[in-house]
Amino acid sequence: MSTVTLYTRPECHLCDEARDALLQLRAEGADFDLEEIDIETDDELHRAYLERIPVVAVDGELVSELILDTGALRARIGTVGG
C-alpha cells in the first residue's frame, strides 16, 4: 500500500482543500495511508515548502503542489505496490 504524505501548515485553506480531496479519494476506494506533516515543526521543511504548500508526495516522490493534482495522484498510486 502506498503512503501519501501531505505537507501542510495551520490555517492554510489550500491545505484543508487538499486534505478533504485526499479523504474523498480514500472514501471512493483509493487504497493508501495518509500521513500529514506540519512544516512549521521542522525548519528545513518550512524553508523548502512554505511557498509551495500543500505539497503531496507518494512514497516519497513529489506528485503535486499548491493545487492537488488528483489525476497525477491516482496515476502514481496505481503504479506502486502492485
Side-chain angles (χ1 to χ4, degrees):
M1 179 182 316
S2 297
T3 298
V4 174
T5 305
L6 173 62
Y7 295 92
T8 68
R9 68 184 293 213
E11 300 181 32
C12 168
H13 75 280
L14 291 176
C15 299
D16 294 339
E17 290 173 11
R19 181 184 311 103
D20 291 346
L22 289 168
L23 293 174
Q24 181 62 38
L25 284 174
R26 276 209 324 212
E28 293 170 0
D31 190 21
F32 61 88
D33 288 325
L34 180 59
E35 173 185 35
E36 191 168 334
I37 297 176
D38 179 352
I39 65 167
E40 294 198 355
T41 64
D42 182 299
D43 290 340
E44 187 175 324
L45 290 175
H46 191 264
R47 278 190 298 278
Y49 293 142
L50 178 62
E51 299 297 322
R52 300 164 49 195
I53 59 168
V55 173
V56 176
V58 176
D59 296 329
E61 183 178 316
L62 180 71
V63 173
S64 142
E65 56 187 65
L66 291 176
I67 303 296
L68 181 64
D69 183 343
T70 55
L73 179 63
R74 284 180 190 272
R76 180 67 183 136
I77 290 171
T79 61
V80 295

